[in-house]
Amino acid sequence: RVGSATSLSSAIINTRLQELVKLFKERTEKVKEKLTDPDVTSDDESPTASPAAAPVPPPGGEQEGDKPAGDEHYCEMLCCTFKYRPWLDRLKNYRFPSSIDPLTNLMYVLWLFFVVMAWNWNCWLIPVRWAFPYQTPANIHCWLAVDYLCDLIYLLDILVFQTRLQFVQGGDIITDKKAMKENYLRSQRFKMDVVCLLPLDFFYFKVGVNPLLRFPRCLKYMAFFEFNNRLEAILSKAYIYRVIRTTAYLLYSLHVNSCLYYWASAYEGLGSTTWVYDGEGNSYIRCYYWAVKTLITIGGLPDPKTLFEIVFQLLNYFTGVFAFSVMIGQMRDVVGAATAGQTYYRSCMDSTIKYMNFYKIPKTVQNRVKTWYEYTWHSQGMLDESELLVQLPDKMRLDIAIDVNYNIVSKVALFQGCDRQMIFDMLKRLRSVVYLPSDYVCKKGEIGREMYIIQAGQVQVLGGPDGKTVLVTLKAGSVFGEISLLAAGGGNRRTANVVAHGFANLFILDKKDLNEILVHYPESQKLLRKKAKKMLQSNNKPKDEKGAPGDPLIIPPKADTPKLFQAALAATGRMGGKGPLAQLRWRLKELKAMQA
């Protein structure tokens, strides 16, 4: 019957079963959502590194920890076994590249070094062998051997390297062998290289071994300037090499002048007058000393006697003044370029101090400003990183931002599962800011317009009744302020004070920049909104005795029985009735016992 106790209990059981089915369906949907998108429900899990941020394995294809220990290679010969190294196999199997990138290939830079060494041999030794009596029939074979070794290097540079250099034509990098060879044959470099190797050595059979016949070898100066450009591009402190090169220019000019002075002395006759070299001591050292005093215009030299000596000395003085002024100017430019950053830093700091003194800023504030300048400059080498990247194309700025910041941002749990391109766009909007010890990063109650990512250092979250109790210490890679950045409808106020513990370098992302980025990535915007909502719910969720949020129950407790119905059941029990209410009361007792 419709009103019987059995039908009522069946209805209650059916209702409970339907509730269980509904709860199990919800649980199944949550599990399915977690399987399809693990980042949605893994906010509390430790973030894993992105594949793009994973370390690149070594060229061998194995990680450092996966390398087999104790690899040994042996070579058997007759009855003995010799151990040999694997690099011999790589050397045997090496194939010379069909094309060479002159801008990035380190092997080409190394080859240019040998070419420049051969060029320096000719430039420095040809004047010495021509002026001083150092080339004799007894050692002529040694001089010729080194000469022809340098000629071989010149020849290999023409036949092997210059014909394989890549070049850009119409925006395309040309790597075709025939095109590279034709490009070199049409260039000015090829004409100069051919002049360098003019076979004037055949005149040795007629006039003897005269070093001046090798003077065309000094015309390979284009290789020297190319080597300078390539070497400065790969050196971290190129100004040191520039100083050394400028000093070498000065030494070479003194070297040539000493050779000319010995030649003039030999022309006039050694020791014939007080002005010429007297032939005593080491001839090169004595003549070099005279050249230094002449070109640098130190003075204290003997007066020339003959017309030839007067003309020679006048030319020396004019050349010395010109050469020395050029060297001083070039050295000033080199040192100025090397210290340009330091000069800019001092200029900014001096202007700031002058401004603070004019407005009578307190000394405590001035000291903190000075500390910020000094720490920022010594830690970053610059005051504003964006100034260096403003001239680069957008793609190159992105590549640099990925290399510098991606490892940190990719580990932030908030951005796990977001579009990778959105993270790339976000990297370009990050600003690096340095906070001093005890500086407030943000204060409780203020409007949150930024999100912070800790690049280096630590920050402390303060709370408690006095607002000075350290609740938690955040380290590098942590993120805070994201709820205020993503919340809407008045939820963007700071909930705690955050103070820098020591020097802290933070990345800042403005809310305006993030909203401009999320316009183009609606899926990532939905995911971030969902995560922000979960964070707000978890923060507002009541906690159990241990302080952790209570776990949701699959079977929630049954709603309480209405008070009027309880009174009717109690009256039935006291009267001892046997009607439907009595049967229902008995059935409810059974259900309570089963539930317990």
Side-chain angles (χ1 to χ4, degrees):
R1 296 193 304 270
V2 176
S4 65
T6 305
S7 62
L8 290 175
S9 61
S10 299
I12 294 173
I13 292 174
N14 289 334
T15 303
R16 298 290 292 167
L17 288 176
Q18 290 177 3
E19 292 178 357
L20 288 174
V21 170
K22 182 179 179 181
L23 291 173
F24 279 118
K25 283 184 177 181
E26 293 178 357
R27 184 180 181 184
T28 304
E29 292 295 330
K30 290 181 179 180
V31 173
K32 185 187 297 184
E33 184 179 4
K34 183 176 181 179
L35 292 176
T36 55
D37 191 0
D39 297 315
V40 174
T41 56
S42 61
D43 295 332
D44 298 328
E45 298 178 0
S46 59
T48 56
S50 174
V56 181
E62 298 177 343
Q63 300 288 348
E64 293 183 0
D66 300 335
K67 289 184 179 180
D71 282 351
E72 295 185 351
H73 306 266
Y74 295 94
C75 175
E76 295 184 0
M77 184 179 296
L78 297 179
C79 60
C80 301
T81 303
F82 300 94
K83 186 176 180 180
Y84 69 97
R85 297 179 181 178
W87 62 267
L88 291 176
D89 287 342
R90 294 197 295 268
L91 187 61
K92 293 178 181 178
N93 298 330
Y94 179 76
R95 296 292 180 269
F96 198 80
S98 59
S99 65
I100 301 173
D101 184 3
L103 301 179
T104 59
N105 196 315
L106 295 181
M107 181 191 67
Y108 180 65
V109 178
L110 180 62
W111 171 252
L112 285 177
F113 170 76
F114 291 109
V115 175
V116 170
M117 291 299 294
W119 178 76
N120 275 281
W121 166 269
N122 292 314
C123 290
W124 286 78
L125 273 300
I126 288 177
V128 172
R129 294 159 61 186
W130 164 72
F132 292 91
Y134 292 152
Q135 179 176 299
T136 62
N139 59 15
I140 189 64
H141 59 280
C142 297
W143 293 104
L144 292 179
V146 181
D147 286 344
Y148 293 129
L149 177 62
C150 295
D151 292 348
L152 178 62
I153 293 176
Y154 280 16
L155 188 62
L156 290 176
D157 182 60
I158 295 175
L159 299 178
V160 178
F161 285 88
Q162 296 301 321
T163 56
R164 285 179 166 85
L165 293 184
Q166 303 173 5
F167 65 98
V168 178
Q169 185 177 22
D172 297 329
I173 300 177
I174 306 301
T175 58
D176 182 66
K177 291 183 178 181
K178 183 178 180 181
M180 290 186 295
K181 185 180 296 184
E182 292 178 353
N183 179 69
Y184 173 61
L185 295 178
R186 292 193 303 266
S187 65
Q188 184 70 20
R189 177 79 172 266
F190 173 71
K191 299 175 183 178
M192 295 299 297
D193 290 346
V194 171
V195 173
C196 289
L197 288 178
L198 286 177
L200 301 180
D201 302 46
F202 289 107
F203 290 100
Y204 287 172
F205 297 105
K206 187 174 182 180
V207 299
V209 182
N210 189 347
L212 287 180
L213 293 175
R214 293 186 56 82
F215 180 76
R217 304 296 190 273
C218 300
L219 299 178
K220 201 174 177 64
Y221 60 89
M222 299 179 72
F224 172 70
F225 291 114
E226 183 182 7
F227 173 73
N228 291 334
N229 295 333
R230 300 291 175 262
L231 188 61
E232 290 179 6
I234 63 177
L235 291 178
S236 58
K237 295 183 178 180
Y239 64 89
I240 297 178
Y241 174 71
R242 296 191 190 109
V243 172
I244 297 174
R245 185 182 63 203
T246 305
T247 306
Y249 290 159
L250 178 61
L251 296 177
Y252 182 73
S253 61
L254 296 173
H255 168 78
V256 173
N257 194 35
S258 64
C259 296
L260 292 175
Y261 175 63
Y262 186 88
W263 169 80
S265 299
Y267 178 79
E268 288 283 301
L270 297 179
S272 60
T273 64
T274 57
W275 182 84
V276 299
Y277 169 60
D278 57 4
E280 297 180 0
N282 189 296
S283 57
Y284 181 77
I285 298 297
R286 295 292 185 92
C287 294
Y288 200 91
Y289 173 73
W290 183 91
V292 171
K293 295 181 68 175
T294 303
L295 285 184
I296 305 180
T297 64
I298 295 177
L301 295 171
D303 295 331
K305 303 299 182 182
T306 64
L307 178 62
F308 175 80
E309 294 174 357
I310 293 173
V311 173
F312 186 88
Q313 188 70 353
L314 286 175
L315 293 176
N316 248 326
Y317 279 138
F318 287 135
T319 306
V321 171
F322 175 75
F324 194 68
S325 60
V326 169
M327 296 302 171
I328 293 297
Q330 189 170 3
M331 188 67 72
R332 184 204 61 186
D333 295 339
V334 171
V335 176
T339 59
Q342 186 74 18
T343 304
Y344 173 73
Y345 158 69
R346 293 304 314 176
S347 175
C348 293
M349 191 171 183
D350 293 342
S351 300
T352 305
I353 293 175
K354 184 178 179 181
Y355 174 84
M356 292 188 296
N357 289 333
F358 179 78
Y359 285 99
K360 298 179 181 180
I361 305 297
K363 288 295 182 183
T364 55
V365 178
Q366 292 192 24
N367 292 334
R368 293 184 67 82
V369 172
K370 294 176 184 177
T371 304
W372 181 88
Y373 266 107
E374 292 178 0
Y375 177 79
T376 304
W377 176 259
H378 290 299
S379 62
Q380 300 180 171
M382 65 198 74
L383 297 178
D384 189 3
E385 296 177 352
S386 61
E387 293 181 358
L388 296 179
L389 307 179
V390 68
Q391 297 178 353
L392 294 178
D394 189 68
K395 180 63 173 64
M396 291 186 178
R397 287 205 303 269
L398 175 61
D399 294 340
I400 294 177
I402 291 173
D403 292 334
V404 175
N405 305 328
Y406 186 79
N407 286 338
I408 296 176
V409 177
S410 63
K411 296 177 183 178
V412 177
L414 178 67
F415 302 117
Q416 294 290 323
C418 293
D419 194 311
R420 186 179 298 270
Q421 189 60 42
M422 187 215 69
I423 298 179
F424 290 166
D425 292 344
M426 189 180 65
L427 290 177
K428 295 184 293 185
R429 305 293 185 97
L430 293 178
R431 294 185 293 109
S432 178
V433 179
V434 175
Y435 288 90
L436 302 183
S438 302
D439 272 355
Y440 276 88
V441 180
C442 57
K443 292 186 177 182
K444 182 178 180 179
E446 69 180 10
I447 303 299
R449 298 183 179 88
E450 300 94 7
M451 181 186 69
Y452 302 91
I453 303 173
I454 304 176
Q455 180 188 15
Q458 299 178 358
V459 298
Q460 293 178 339
V461 181
L462 305 182
D466 56 352
K468 297 181 179 179
T469 305
V470 179
L471 301 180
V472 66
T473 300
L474 304 177
K475 300 182 179 180
S478 302
V479 59
F480 60 94
E482 69 277 9
I483 296 180
S484 299
L485 194 70
L486 297 172
N492 57 346
R493 288 189 177 272
R494 302 297 187 191
T495 58
N497 295 329
V498 180
V499 179
H501 180 62
F503 292 96
N505 195 341
L506 307 182
F507 288 130
I508 297 180
L509 179 63
D510 291 333
K511 185 174 184 178
K512 179 182 178 182
D513 294 336
L514 181 62
N515 291 336
E516 290 177 358
I517 294 173
L518 291 179
V519 169
H520 307 285
Y521 303 96
E523 296 298 329
S524 298
Q525 185 177 14
K526 292 179 182 178
L527 180 60
L528 289 178
R529 298 294 182 192
K530 195 172 184 180
K531 287 187 176 183
K533 186 178 180 181
K534 281 193 173 185
M535 291 179 181
L536 288 173
Q537 291 176 353
S538 62
N539 290 342
N540 298 328
K541 188 179 295 182
K543 298 183 179 181
D544 58 10
E545 296 178 357
K546 295 183 180 180
D551 296 330
L553 297 175
I554 295 300
I555 303 179
K558 191 184 70 168
D560 294 337
T561 306
K563 292 183 179 180
L564 182 62
F565 192 60
Q566 285 183 359
L569 291 177
T572 303
R574 286 195 301 268
M575 295 174 60
K578 298 182 179 180
L581 289 176
Q583 294 179 2
L584 182 59
R585 182 172 177 272
W586 176 77
R587 184 66 62 182
L588 289 175
K589 286 184 179 180
E590 287 186 351
L591 288 175
K592 288 182 178 180
M594 291 174 60
Q595 188 174 12

